[in-house]
Amino acid sequence: PSGVTEPQAGDGRIVSVPAPDSGVSFATKSADLSGDDRARLDDLVASLRAHPAQRVVIKGYADDTGSDSTDAQLSQQRADAVARYLEKRGVSSDRIATKVGTWSSTSTDDVSRRRALHHRVEIIVK
């Protein structure tokens, strides 16, 4: 599942917490952000502005419907789309790292549900 990971007050541990409305998702074979996703990212931008020492790692995911190279390219495009959006809103690029997430086929969920989970980016705040 997608989400945002951020340090919790007190002990400095990093704990995964759900992102608003399940994070940023994409349509099949798309790297375009929806209006709802932009609104969620605006909330993240506000948090990053309030905490200038925080950095983000953005992991892009795609399902297994294309070739490995096509899926990796789409995963990177999704991560880059989120990074560009954050940068356009004033988050410095030196605070943002992008990565390609790995598609997991080990889940026992049905294929369509599993694939839907991979039309997303995961945002980790450090």
Side-chain angles (χ1 to χ4, degrees), residues 47-95:
S47 176
L48 291 170
R49 285 184 182 157
H51 301 95
Q54 289 183 330
R55 299 166 118 25
V56 292
V57 177
I58 303 165
K59 287 176 133 179
Y61 291 87
D63 59 31
D64 65 343
T65 58
S67 68
D68 287 346
S69 64
T70 300
D71 291 340
Q73 183 178 16
L74 180 57
S75 296
Q76 187 65 54
Q77 289 170 345
R78 289 173 172 170
D80 290 344
V82 171
R84 278 191 311 275
Y85 187 84
L86 297 179
E87 289 170 12
K88 286 180 183 177
R89 297 298 183 270
V91 178
S92 175
S93 62
D94 65 346
R95 296 175 65 193

